mmCIF file of all heavy atoms in Angstrom:
data_model
loop_
_atom_site.group_PDB
_atom_site.id
_atom_site.type_symbol
_atom_site.label_atom_id
_atom_site.label_comp_id
_atom_site.label_asym_id
_atom_site.label_seq_id
_atom_site.Cartn_x
_atom_site.Cartn_y
_atom_site.Cartn_z
ATOM 1 N N VAL A 5 -27.261 39.598 14.712
ATOM 2 C CA VAL A 5 -26.287 38.519 14.829
ATOM 3 C C VAL A 5 -26.138 38.107 16.291
ATOM 4 O O VAL A 5 -25.853 38.950 17.153
ATOM 5 C CB VAL A 5 -24.915 38.962 14.276
ATOM 6 C CG1 VAL A 5 -23.868 37.896 14.534
ATOM 7 C CG2 VAL A 5 -25.017 39.278 12.796
ATOM 8 N N THR A 6 -26.333 36.825 16.561
ATOM 9 C CA THR A 6 -26.046 36.254 17.879
ATOM 10 C C THR A 6 -25.315 34.938 17.655
ATOM 11 O O THR A 6 -25.885 34.005 17.079
ATOM 12 C CB THR A 6 -27.334 36.017 18.691
ATOM 13 O OG1 THR A 6 -28.050 37.251 18.824
ATOM 14 C CG2 THR A 6 -26.985 35.493 20.074
ATOM 15 N N PHE A 7 -24.074 34.888 18.114
ATOM 16 C CA PHE A 7 -23.239 33.709 17.866
ATOM 17 C C PHE A 7 -22.663 33.201 19.183
ATOM 18 O O PHE A 7 -21.921 33.903 19.857
ATOM 19 C CB PHE A 7 -22.102 34.062 16.895
ATOM 20 C CG PHE A 7 -21.380 32.864 16.360
ATOM 21 C CD1 PHE A 7 -21.916 32.132 15.307
ATOM 22 C CD2 PHE A 7 -20.172 32.455 16.899
ATOM 23 C CE1 PHE A 7 -21.260 31.006 14.806
ATOM 24 C CE2 PHE A 7 -19.504 31.340 16.408
ATOM 25 C CZ PHE A 7 -20.053 30.611 15.362
ATOM 26 N N HIS A 8 -23.039 31.979 19.553
ATOM 27 C CA HIS A 8 -22.584 31.356 20.792
ATOM 28 C C HIS A 8 -21.551 30.269 20.485
ATOM 29 O O HIS A 8 -21.524 29.725 19.374
ATOM 30 C CB HIS A 8 -23.757 30.701 21.527
ATOM 31 C CG HIS A 8 -24.865 31.629 21.875
ATOM 32 N ND1 HIS A 8 -24.727 32.660 22.784
ATOM 33 C CD2 HIS A 8 -26.166 31.679 21.458
ATOM 34 C CE1 HIS A 8 -25.882 33.296 22.904
ATOM 35 N NE2 HIS A 8 -26.766 32.727 22.110
ATOM 36 N N PRO A 9 -20.737 29.885 21.464
ATOM 37 C CA PRO A 9 -19.860 28.731 21.264
ATOM 38 C C PRO A 9 -20.683 27.455 21.073
ATOM 39 O O PRO A 9 -21.679 27.255 21.772
ATOM 40 C CB PRO A 9 -19.051 28.658 22.565
ATOM 41 C CG PRO A 9 -19.192 29.996 23.204
ATOM 42 C CD PRO A 9 -20.540 30.507 22.789
ATOM 43 N N ALA A 10 -20.280 26.632 20.132
ATOM 44 C CA ALA A 10 -20.842 25.278 20.014
ATOM 45 C C ALA A 10 -19.934 24.383 20.839
ATOM 46 O O ALA A 10 -18.847 24.000 20.395
ATOM 47 C CB ALA A 10 -20.894 24.835 18.559
ATOM 48 N N THR A 11 -20.344 24.052 22.047
ATOM 49 C CA THR A 11 -19.419 23.485 23.037
ATOM 50 C C THR A 11 -18.926 22.083 22.700
ATOM 51 O O THR A 11 -17.996 21.592 23.338
ATOM 52 C CB THR A 11 -20.073 23.487 24.430
ATOM 53 O OG1 THR A 11 -21.391 22.928 24.349
ATOM 54 C CG2 THR A 11 -20.170 24.903 24.969
ATOM 55 N N LEU A 12 -19.521 21.421 21.711
ATOM 56 C CA LEU A 12 -19.026 20.115 21.283
ATOM 57 C C LEU A 12 -18.275 20.182 19.953
ATOM 58 O O LEU A 12 -17.899 19.159 19.390
ATOM 59 C CB LEU A 12 -20.180 19.109 21.189
ATOM 60 C CG LEU A 12 -20.891 18.787 22.516
ATOM 61 C CD1 LEU A 12 -21.965 17.736 22.301
ATOM 62 C CD2 LEU A 12 -19.903 18.323 23.572
ATOM 63 N N ASP A 13 -18.064 21.389 19.448
ATOM 64 C CA ASP A 13 -17.311 21.581 18.213
ATOM 65 C C ASP A 13 -15.818 21.433 18.502
ATOM 66 O O ASP A 13 -15.321 21.904 19.530
ATOM 67 C CB ASP A 13 -17.599 22.980 17.651
ATOM 68 C CG ASP A 13 -17.128 23.154 16.222
ATOM 69 O OD1 ASP A 13 -16.428 22.262 15.707
ATOM 70 O OD2 ASP A 13 -17.464 24.191 15.627
ATOM 71 N N ARG A 14 -15.079 20.790 17.596
ATOM 72 C CA ARG A 14 -13.646 20.592 17.790
ATOM 73 C C ARG A 14 -12.813 21.758 17.279
ATOM 74 O O ARG A 14 -11.596 21.794 17.479
ATOM 75 C CB ARG A 14 -13.208 19.295 17.100
ATOM 76 C CG ARG A 14 -13.857 18.048 17.705
ATOM 77 C CD ARG A 14 -13.372 16.783 17.023
ATOM 78 N NE ARG A 14 -13.988 15.591 17.614
ATOM 79 C CZ ARG A 14 -13.743 14.349 17.212
ATOM 80 N NH1 ARG A 14 -12.899 14.133 16.218
ATOM 81 N NH2 ARG A 14 -14.335 13.338 17.810
ATOM 82 N N VAL A 15 -13.472 22.709 16.614
ATOM 83 C CA VAL A 15 -12.770 23.886 16.099
ATOM 84 C C VAL A 15 -12.997 25.045 17.064
ATOM 85 O O VAL A 15 -14.077 25.201 17.634
ATOM 86 C CB VAL A 15 -13.281 24.236 14.685
ATOM 87 C CG1 VAL A 15 -12.628 25.518 14.176
ATOM 88 C CG2 VAL A 15 -13.014 23.078 13.731
ATOM 89 N N ALA A 16 -11.993 25.873 17.252
ATOM 90 C CA ALA A 16 -12.070 26.987 18.196
ATOM 91 C C ALA A 16 -13.213 27.934 17.844
ATOM 92 O O ALA A 16 -13.412 28.267 16.669
ATOM 93 C CB ALA A 16 -10.749 27.751 18.207
ATOM 94 N N PRO A 17 -13.979 28.393 18.840
ATOM 95 C CA PRO A 17 -15.096 29.309 18.580
ATOM 96 C C PRO A 17 -14.671 30.575 17.852
ATOM 97 O O PRO A 17 -15.428 31.089 17.011
ATOM 98 C CB PRO A 17 -15.617 29.623 19.982
ATOM 99 C CG PRO A 17 -15.216 28.466 20.817
ATOM 100 C CD PRO A 17 -13.901 28.014 20.269
ATOM 101 N N ALA A 18 -13.481 31.096 18.153
ATOM 102 C CA ALA A 18 -13.023 32.319 17.482
ATOM 103 C C ALA A 18 -12.900 32.107 15.986
ATOM 104 O O ALA A 18 -13.246 32.988 15.180
ATOM 105 C CB ALA A 18 -11.687 32.773 18.066
ATOM 106 N N GLU A 19 -12.405 30.934 15.576
ATOM 107 C CA GLU A 19 -12.269 30.637 14.153
ATOM 108 C C GLU A 19 -13.634 30.600 13.480
ATOM 109 O O GLU A 19 -13.817 31.125 12.371
ATOM 110 C CB GLU A 19 -11.549 29.307 13.961
ATOM 111 C CG GLU A 19 -11.278 28.948 12.510
ATOM 112 C CD GLU A 19 -10.473 27.670 12.360
ATOM 113 O OE1 GLU A 19 -9.739 27.300 13.302
ATOM 114 O OE2 GLU A 19 -10.578 27.030 11.286
ATOM 115 N N ARG A 20 -14.600 29.986 14.141
ATOM 116 C CA ARG A 20 -15.957 29.933 13.581
ATOM 117 C C ARG A 20 -16.551 31.337 13.473
ATOM 118 O O ARG A 20 -17.186 31.692 12.473
ATOM 119 C CB ARG A 20 -16.855 29.070 14.468
ATOM 120 C CG ARG A 20 -16.439 27.615 14.595
ATOM 121 C CD ARG A 20 -16.421 26.902 13.262
ATOM 122 N NE ARG A 20 -16.368 25.457 13.427
ATOM 123 C CZ ARG A 20 -16.014 24.605 12.482
ATOM 124 N NH1 ARG A 20 -15.658 25.064 11.291
ATOM 125 N NH2 ARG A 20 -16.029 23.303 12.700
ATOM 126 N N CYS A 21 -16.329 32.143 14.508
ATOM 127 C CA CYS A 21 -16.882 33.496 14.505
ATOM 128 C C CYS A 21 -16.228 34.362 13.429
ATOM 129 O O CYS A 21 -16.901 35.159 12.762
ATOM 130 C CB CYS A 21 -16.706 34.124 15.885
ATOM 131 S SG CYS A 21 -17.551 35.702 16.093
ATOM 132 N N ARG A 22 -14.908 34.206 13.238
ATOM 133 C CA ARG A 22 -14.234 34.986 12.194
ATOM 134 C C ARG A 22 -14.761 34.645 10.809
ATOM 135 O O ARG A 22 -14.871 35.525 9.942
ATOM 136 C CB ARG A 22 -12.723 34.759 12.271
ATOM 137 C CG ARG A 22 -12.026 35.590 13.345
ATOM 138 C CD ARG A 22 -10.515 35.552 13.189
ATOM 139 N NE ARG A 22 -9.976 34.261 13.559
ATOM 140 C CZ ARG A 22 -9.528 33.957 14.775
ATOM 141 N NH1 ARG A 22 -9.562 34.866 15.737
ATOM 142 N NH2 ARG A 22 -9.036 32.759 15.037
ATOM 143 N N ALA A 23 -15.126 33.381 10.588
ATOM 144 C CA ALA A 23 -15.702 32.997 9.295
ATOM 145 C C ALA A 23 -17.035 33.701 9.088
ATOM 146 O O ALA A 23 -17.347 34.162 7.979
ATOM 147 C CB ALA A 23 -15.864 31.485 9.221
ATOM 148 N N MET A 24 -17.846 33.787 10.146
ATOM 149 C CA MET A 24 -19.119 34.493 10.038
ATOM 150 C C MET A 24 -18.899 35.974 9.740
ATOM 151 O O MET A 24 -19.578 36.567 8.882
ATOM 152 C CB MET A 24 -19.907 34.336 11.335
ATOM 153 C CG MET A 24 -21.253 35.062 11.322
ATOM 154 S SD MET A 24 -22.057 35.091 12.947
ATOM 155 C CE MET A 24 -20.953 36.208 13.841
ATOM 156 N N VAL A 25 -17.944 36.595 10.430
ATOM 157 C CA VAL A 25 -17.648 38.008 10.201
ATOM 158 C C VAL A 25 -17.191 38.227 8.760
ATOM 159 O O VAL A 25 -17.632 39.177 8.079
ATOM 160 C CB VAL A 25 -16.581 38.491 11.196
ATOM 161 C CG1 VAL A 25 -16.038 39.870 10.792
ATOM 162 C CG2 VAL A 25 -17.156 38.534 12.607
ATOM 163 N N GLU A 26 -16.307 37.345 8.272
ATOM 164 C CA GLU A 26 -15.839 37.458 6.888
ATOM 165 C C GLU A 26 -17.002 37.390 5.907
ATOM 166 O O GLU A 26 -17.076 38.171 4.945
ATOM 167 C CB GLU A 26 -14.837 36.346 6.583
ATOM 168 C CG GLU A 26 -14.306 36.379 5.151
ATOM 169 C CD GLU A 26 -13.388 35.209 4.831
ATOM 170 O OE1 GLU A 26 -12.864 34.569 5.767
ATOM 171 O OE2 GLU A 26 -13.198 34.923 3.622
ATOM 172 N N ALA A 27 -17.925 36.463 6.156
ATOM 173 C CA ALA A 27 -19.079 36.321 5.268
ATOM 174 C C ALA A 27 -19.953 37.571 5.292
ATOM 175 O O ALA A 27 -20.373 38.081 4.236
ATOM 176 C CB ALA A 27 -19.891 35.095 5.671
ATOM 177 N N LEU A 28 -20.231 38.090 6.481
ATOM 178 C CA LEU A 28 -21.124 39.248 6.577
ATOM 179 C C LEU A 28 -20.478 40.522 6.053
ATOM 180 O O LEU A 28 -21.177 41.447 5.621
ATOM 181 C CB LEU A 28 -21.586 39.419 8.026
ATOM 182 C CG LEU A 28 -22.574 38.338 8.495
ATOM 183 C CD1 LEU A 28 -22.849 38.463 9.990
ATOM 184 C CD2 LEU A 28 -23.874 38.408 7.710
ATOM 185 N N ASP A 29 -19.160 40.570 6.045
ATOM 186 C CA ASP A 29 -18.492 41.735 5.450
ATOM 187 C C ASP A 29 -18.623 41.746 3.924
ATOM 188 O O ASP A 29 -18.306 42.754 3.287
ATOM 189 C CB ASP A 29 -17.014 41.760 5.852
ATOM 190 C CG ASP A 29 -16.799 42.402 7.214
ATOM 191 O OD1 ASP A 29 -17.723 43.087 7.702
ATOM 192 O OD2 ASP A 29 -15.709 42.230 7.799
ATOM 193 N N ARG A 30 -19.078 40.650 3.358
ATOM 194 C CA ARG A 30 -19.348 40.603 1.925
ATOM 195 C C ARG A 30 -20.710 41.203 1.583
ATOM 196 O O ARG A 30 -21.118 41.226 0.415
ATOM 197 C CB ARG A 30 -19.269 39.156 1.423
ATOM 198 C CG ARG A 30 -17.891 38.522 1.605
ATOM 199 C CD ARG A 30 -17.895 37.037 1.255
ATOM 200 N NE ARG A 30 -16.609 36.404 1.591
ATOM 201 C CZ ARG A 30 -16.351 35.103 1.453
ATOM 202 N NH1 ARG A 30 -17.298 34.285 0.986
ATOM 203 N NH2 ARG A 30 -15.175 34.617 1.783
ATOM 204 N N PHE A 31 -21.412 41.697 2.619
ATOM 205 C CA PHE A 31 -22.719 42.334 2.426
ATOM 206 C C PHE A 31 -22.657 43.749 3.002
ATOM 207 O O PHE A 31 -23.307 44.062 4.006
ATOM 208 C CB PHE A 31 -23.818 41.524 3.109
ATOM 209 C CG PHE A 31 -24.000 40.137 2.548
ATOM 210 C CD1 PHE A 31 -23.260 39.072 3.033
ATOM 211 C CD2 PHE A 31 -24.903 39.921 1.511
ATOM 212 C CE1 PHE A 31 -23.416 37.798 2.506
ATOM 213 C CE2 PHE A 31 -25.061 38.652 0.974
ATOM 214 C CZ PHE A 31 -24.318 37.593 1.467
ATOM 215 N N PRO A 32 -21.880 44.633 2.368
ATOM 216 C CA PRO A 32 -21.724 45.997 2.911
ATOM 217 C C PRO A 32 -23.024 46.786 2.911
ATOM 218 O O PRO A 32 -23.108 47.825 3.577
ATOM 219 C CB PRO A 32 -20.682 46.621 1.967
ATOM 220 C CG PRO A 32 -20.790 45.827 0.706
ATOM 221 C CD PRO A 32 -21.124 44.440 1.125
ATOM 222 N N GLN A 33 -24.017 46.295 2.172
ATOM 223 C CA GLN A 33 -25.311 46.990 2.154
ATOM 224 C C GLN A 33 -26.107 46.760 3.429
ATOM 225 O O GLN A 33 -27.142 47.409 3.644
ATOM 226 C CB GLN A 33 -26.133 46.525 0.939
ATOM 227 C CG GLN A 33 -26.741 45.124 1.042
ATOM 228 C CD GLN A 33 -25.808 44.020 0.575
ATOM 229 O OE1 GLN A 33 -24.585 44.174 0.606
ATOM 230 N NE2 GLN A 33 -26.376 42.917 0.116
ATOM 231 N N LEU A 34 -25.625 45.862 4.302
ATOM 232 C CA LEU A 34 -26.309 45.570 5.562
ATOM 233 C C LEU A 34 -25.541 46.150 6.742
ATOM 234 O O LEU A 34 -24.331 45.960 6.862
ATOM 235 C CB LEU A 34 -26.424 44.054 5.784
ATOM 236 C CG LEU A 34 -27.337 43.244 4.869
ATOM 237 C CD1 LEU A 34 -27.226 41.768 5.230
ATOM 238 C CD2 LEU A 34 -28.776 43.717 4.990
ATOM 239 N N ASN A 35 -26.234 46.855 7.623
ATOM 240 C CA ASN A 35 -25.674 47.143 8.935
ATOM 241 C C ASN A 35 -25.840 45.908 9.821
ATOM 242 O O ASN A 35 -26.600 44.978 9.488
ATOM 243 C CB ASN A 35 -26.369 48.344 9.573
ATOM 244 C CG ASN A 35 -25.898 49.667 8.987
ATOM 245 O OD1 ASN A 35 -24.836 49.727 8.359
ATOM 246 N ND2 ASN A 35 -26.686 50.717 9.172
ATOM 247 N N ILE A 36 -25.166 45.908 10.957
ATOM 248 C CA ILE A 36 -25.161 44.738 11.834
ATOM 249 C C ILE A 36 -25.505 45.156 13.265
ATOM 250 O O ILE A 36 -24.903 46.093 13.804
ATOM 251 C CB ILE A 36 -23.782 44.037 11.851
ATOM 252 C CG1 ILE A 36 -23.312 43.694 10.433
ATOM 253 C CG2 ILE A 36 -23.819 42.807 12.758
ATOM 254 C CD1 ILE A 36 -24.135 42.646 9.730
ATOM 255 N N ILE A 37 -26.449 44.450 13.873
ATOM 256 C CA ILE A 37 -26.697 44.547 15.313
ATOM 257 C C ILE A 37 -26.250 43.223 15.920
ATOM 258 O O ILE A 37 -26.855 42.179 15.672
ATOM 259 C CB ILE A 37 -28.183 44.798 15.628
ATOM 260 C CG1 ILE A 37 -28.668 46.103 14.990
ATOM 261 C CG2 ILE A 37 -28.415 44.820 17.143
ATOM 262 C CD1 ILE A 37 -30.169 46.329 15.112
ATOM 263 N N ALA A 38 -25.161 43.249 16.677
ATOM 264 C CA ALA A 38 -24.587 42.027 17.250
ATOM 265 C C ALA A 38 -24.698 42.063 18.765
ATOM 266 O O ALA A 38 -24.476 43.112 19.392
ATOM 267 C CB ALA A 38 -23.128 41.867 16.836
ATOM 268 N N THR A 39 -25.039 40.915 19.350
ATOM 269 C CA THR A 39 -25.125 40.805 20.803
ATOM 270 C C THR A 39 -24.030 39.875 21.327
ATOM 271 O O THR A 39 -23.528 39.021 20.601
ATOM 272 C CB THR A 39 -26.498 40.266 21.244
ATOM 273 O OG1 THR A 39 -26.653 38.927 20.768
ATOM 274 C CG2 THR A 39 -27.623 41.135 20.694
ATOM 275 N N TYR A 40 -23.692 40.039 22.592
ATOM 276 C CA TYR A 40 -22.716 39.164 23.228
ATOM 277 C C TYR A 40 -23.236 37.723 23.272
ATOM 278 O O TYR A 40 -24.446 37.500 23.367
ATOM 279 C CB TYR A 40 -22.464 39.621 24.668
ATOM 280 C CG TYR A 40 -21.331 40.608 24.848
ATOM 281 C CD1 TYR A 40 -21.078 41.599 23.898
ATOM 282 C CD2 TYR A 40 -20.529 40.579 25.981
ATOM 283 C CE1 TYR A 40 -20.053 42.513 24.080
ATOM 284 C CE2 TYR A 40 -19.503 41.492 26.182
ATOM 285 C CZ TYR A 40 -19.267 42.445 25.229
ATOM 286 O OH TYR A 40 -18.252 43.348 25.404
ATOM 287 N N PRO A 41 -22.331 36.762 23.270
ATOM 288 C CA PRO A 41 -22.732 35.375 23.478
ATOM 289 C C PRO A 41 -23.002 35.100 24.954
ATOM 290 O O PRO A 41 -22.667 35.908 25.828
ATOM 291 C CB PRO A 41 -21.514 34.586 23.006
ATOM 292 C CG PRO A 41 -20.363 35.499 23.311
ATOM 293 C CD PRO A 41 -20.877 36.893 23.053
ATOM 294 N N ASN A 42 -23.603 33.931 25.237
ATOM 295 C CA ASN A 42 -23.734 33.458 26.614
ATOM 296 C C ASN A 42 -22.350 33.117 27.173
ATOM 297 O O ASN A 42 -21.383 32.986 26.427
ATOM 298 C CB ASN A 42 -24.627 32.218 26.676
ATOM 299 C CG ASN A 42 -26.077 32.555 26.411
ATOM 300 O OD1 ASN A 42 -26.515 33.678 26.663
ATOM 301 N ND2 ASN A 42 -26.821 31.589 25.918
ATOM 302 N N ASN A 43 -22.285 32.921 28.486
ATOM 303 C CA ASN A 43 -20.979 32.619 29.096
ATOM 304 C C ASN A 43 -20.689 31.119 29.088
ATOM 305 O O ASN A 43 -20.433 30.499 30.114
ATOM 306 C CB ASN A 43 -20.873 33.196 30.513
ATOM 307 C CG ASN A 43 -21.838 32.566 31.499
ATOM 308 O OD1 ASN A 43 -22.898 32.066 31.120
ATOM 309 N ND2 ASN A 43 -21.484 32.597 32.774
ATOM 310 N N ASP A 44 -20.712 30.546 27.890
ATOM 311 C CA ASP A 44 -20.293 29.161 27.690
ATOM 312 C C ASP A 44 -18.797 29.143 27.397
ATOM 313 O O ASP A 44 -18.194 30.171 27.064
ATOM 314 C CB ASP A 44 -21.056 28.528 26.516
ATOM 315 C CG ASP A 44 -22.553 28.475 26.768
ATOM 316 O OD1 ASP A 44 -22.939 28.090 27.877
ATOM 317 O OD2 ASP A 44 -23.329 28.816 25.849
#
């Protein structure tokens, strides 16, 4: 998982990221390797 801010999006990046986390938590059979975003 690598999730960066979409700098032209009108919705807060945290809200977008929480939606992704919620979705991936629906797949408990998968482990997750997540990296930091760029400094945007």
Side-chain angles (χ1 to χ4, degrees):
V5 174
T6 303
F7 192 81
H8 302 294
T11 49
L12 296 183
D13 193 351
R14 296 182 180 180
V15 176
E19 184 176 336
R20 298 300 195 198
C21 188
R22 279 192 288 267
M24 179 189 69
V25 168
E26 179 184 341
L28 289 173
D29 276 344
R30 298 173 187 177
F31 297 88
Q33 74 273 26
L34 292 177
N35 283 342
I36 306 293
I37 300 173
T39 65
Y40 269 37
N42 289 333
N43 65 334
D44 298 315

